[in-house]
Amino acid sequence: MKKSRVATVLLHAALVLGAAATLFPLFWMITASLMPTGEANSDPPPLLPSRVTFEHYGELFTRLNLGQAFFNSTLLATAVTLLSLFLNSMAGYAFAKLRFRGRGKIFGFLLAALVLPTQVAVLPLFLLLREMHLISSYWGVILPGMASIFGIFLVRQFALSIPDELLDAARIDGASEFRIYSEIVLPLCRPILVTLAIFTFLGTWNDFLWPLVVLTDQSRYTLPVALANLFGEHVQDTELMMAGSVLTVLPVLLLFLFLQRHYIQGLLMGGVKE
Amino acid sequence: MPADGITAMKRAARAEARAAWLFLAPGLGVIFLFFLLPIAAAFLLSLTDFDLYAVADWRNLRLIGFDNYLRLLRDPIFWKALGNTFYFVLVGGPLTVVLSLAAALMIQSKLTRFRGLFRTAFFAPAVTTLVAVATVWRYLYHPRFGLINHALQWIGLPAVDWLGSTRWAMPAIIILSIWKNFGANMIILAAGLQNIPESLYEAARLDGAGWWAQLRHVTLPMLGPTFLFVGVMTCIGYFQLFAEPFVLTRQGEPLNSTLSVALLMYKEGFRWWNMGYAAAVAFVLFVVILAATTLQVRASRRGEA
């Protein structure tokens, strides 16, 4: 009995230590963003601000125009999320519930393509969008994000459990296929659509390489691109850069904290596919 | 009458197939046009001398066969980038997976209280924006004002010039990546642990198996497929190392010691507009990732047999 009590104490000590180490960079990011200019670069570096100030956040929104980047990120993540929910749910439903020739083969092919690294597509994709005159347009980010194999897969797995009788009954009543999809299938798929929405929003918000390549005009920069750009000129301004990092991270972190059950569910559905 | 029934059924089946294709067309169209086609085109692009002149006018484009690949083989920067990437994958990958497993075992232990709280804490870095947290870590790694060096000195270890030395820059990137990624793997492994029937552990205990023997003979074999999935996904993701050295070590410094293959592709393609050459770099990465994935799957199959 005594042995297990020692084990319990040791286990919790390791857990608390691990959690503290994991959260520390995020904690310091917030406290340093509230320090007066230059305070983070003192020896030894303080953990808490001597006086709390929001001046760096003010500077981000006024002089440095990061408000525009915040707007761009929000707009793009929202647009990609809504459009891809629509396209992925239609395709996922078709793969799960409608019979057509080649269904198994096409779906198997898509699953195999899931391991293809996205980075390999970047160069030709850039040239393609250049031919379409979409470089530095919002559409340059939105169009390629409008559907994903992972999204189709998630919806398909979920939609498999919808009973066929329900759909057939609606067909006998004369409902059109699109009506069946929009009024029966979509409401039933709500849980997985919430999960997919969080995944897509976070993924688009956090993406770096593609927006960096395709959004060449500063007025179109998303937050990660704007932040990397700002870092080049303001590397000495620790407190300012931390405020920029908080502005970039906090929205997705809060979104996750409120909806983490749904997020984790998606992660697990991806993990059990084999 | 039966003939009518059959035609009606045929008509219904045809209507269903038509509806299916209408539902599929937009999504599959986007995936084909903006994902599958570009990947195939990357190979074609790598057989051309696509450069700044071709960016200006397509007519300056010439097919040059495998010249880009031959040039790659003689380019010391490419070998440096490939070596760095393998260093990152072979050291960072296993460390990430082992730490994820340790975290999952601790989270799922029957003794653990406040499980949800710890899980959220460990998982939080996984949802953060890489560019932003890499910025944070750059300050944490600062040789003089960075809190990491202060912590090292506090426990009696010497300070390290993390991002300024060719020796420590890659370990610094690996530490950041472990911190960022172990939480997501932990969640998947923890779910795998939950699916192992308790009766197996009971039987092992009756046979006198201790903690370590239970881990080796029950947990790890039962976790097989989940473990493989986590390993493969980590491997694929790590081979594409890009934003970490872009931000943390200012695009591969010092002396290209953190230059990755993806970063080399970006620089060649979008800084110097050597897109044909960059496509060859990308395609090598593609082949390496595919080979590594196949190897892992094969090795695990052999392990099971």
Side-chain angles (χ1 to χ4, degrees), chain B residues 98-176:
Chain B
V98 166
L99 204 75
S100 311
L101 180 64
L105 286 171
M106 292 205 295
I107 290 279
Q108 286 306 119
S109 164
K110 279 197 293 290
L111 303 173
T112 300
R113 298 181 61 191
F114 308 111
R115 189 170 288 161
L117 216 59
F118 287 118
R119 191 171 48 199
T120 306
F122 288 149
F123 188 66
V127 297
T128 59
T129 314
L130 188 57
V131 173
V133 293
T135 309
V136 175
W137 278 80
R138 196 177 153 89
Y139 293 108
L140 293 175
Y141 279 133
H142 193 282
R144 185 147 162 242
F145 306 120
L147 284 154
I148 291 178
N149 270 354
H150 276 269
L152 285 179
Q153 282 166 322
W154 191 64
I155 55 173
L157 293 171
V160 173
D161 184 11
W162 288 100
L163 304 176
S165 74
T166 51
R167 185 167 167 211
W168 290 104
M170 190 53 94
I173 287 182
I174 290 175
I175 294 171
L176 161 67

Side-chain angles (χ1 to χ4, degrees), chain B:
Chain B
M1 208 40 210
D4 269 9
I6 287 166
T7 34
M9 269 170 70
K10 264 193 183 159
R11 201 177 300 137
R14 220 177 298 145
E16 189 172 328
R18 197 182 318 123
W21 282 111
L22 285 175
F23 281 128
L24 287 172
L28 292 189
V30 166
I31 289 170
F32 178 77
L33 190 62
F34 297 116
F35 183 58
L36 298 178
L37 192 68
I39 286 187
F43 181 63
L44 292 179
L45 190 60
S46 76
L47 303 179
T48 71
D49 67 345
F50 201 109
D51 58 8
L52 198 58
Y53 300 105
V55 172
D57 188 343
W58 284 93
R59 274 169 301 184
N60 291 326
L61 189 71
R62 280 179 314 156
L63 272 173
I64 54 167
F66 287 91
D67 281 7
N68 284 324
Y69 292 94
L70 294 175
R71 207 178 119 201
L72 267 186
L73 294 177
R74 279 175 279 131
D75 185 352
I77 303 283
F78 167 72
W79 288 106
K80 181 89 186 146
L82 195 64
N84 291 339
T85 307
F86 268 97
Y87 177 11
F88 177 74
V89 173
L90 292 179
V91 177
L95 283 176
T96 307
V97 174
V98 166
L99 204 75
S100 311
L101 180 64
L105 286 171
M106 292 205 295
I107 290 279
Q108 286 306 119
S109 164
K110 279 197 293 290
L111 303 173
T112 300
R113 298 181 61 191
F114 308 111
R115 189 170 288 161
L117 216 59
F118 287 118
R119 191 171 48 199
T120 306
F122 288 149
F123 188 66
V127 297
T128 59
T129 314
L130 188 57
V131 173
V133 293
T135 309
V136 175
W137 278 80
R138 196 177 153 89
Y139 293 108
L140 293 175
Y141 279 133
H142 193 282
R144 185 147 162 242
F145 306 120
L147 284 154
I148 291 178
N149 270 354
H150 276 269
L152 285 179
Q153 282 166 322
W154 191 64
I155 55 173
L157 293 171
V160 173
D161 184 11
W162 288 100
L163 304 176
S165 74
T166 51
R167 185 167 167 211
W168 290 104
M170 190 53 94
I173 287 182
I174 290 175
I175 294 171
L176 161 67
S177 303
I178 294 173
W179 173 80
K180 177 89 170 63
N181 295 309
F182 83 96
N185 289 336
M186 173 197 77
I187 299 279
I188 297 172
L189 289 170
L193 288 175
Q194 253 178 331
N195 290 337
I196 302 175
E198 180 57 31
S199 57
L200 289 179
Y201 289 108
E202 277 163 21
R205 274 195 292 271
L206 281 179
D207 289 343
W211 181 84
W212 179 245
Q214 286 178 43
L215 180 69
R216 256 193 71 191
H217 299 293
V218 180
T219 309
L220 290 183
M222 289 302 288
L223 214 50
T226 318
F227 213 67
L228 175 68
F229 175 77
V230 166
V232 168
M233 293 322 275
T234 303
C235 180
I236 294 177
Y238 274 21
F239 266 118
Q240 302 186 60
L241 176 69
F242 175 74
E244 293 88 340
F246 189 98
V247 177
L248 202 59
T249 50
R250 321 217 70 175
Q251 317 202 2
E253 284 175 27
L255 296 172
N256 287 332
S257 62
T258 58
L259 182 75
S260 66
V261 175
L263 199 51
L264 178 66
M265 176 201 82
Y266 171 80
K267 283 183 166 181
E268 285 291 344
F270 296 104
R271 176 103 35 89
W272 316 120
W273 299 105
N274 294 325
M275 297 195 99
Y277 191 58
V281 175
F283 209 75
V284 170
L285 183 67
F286 175 77
V287 172
V288 166
I289 292 178
L290 236 49
T293 309
T294 318
L295 210 70
Q296 268 176 295
V297 175
R298 283 252 177 90
S300 81
R301 279 210 189 118
R302 195 163 306 155
E304 275 163 34

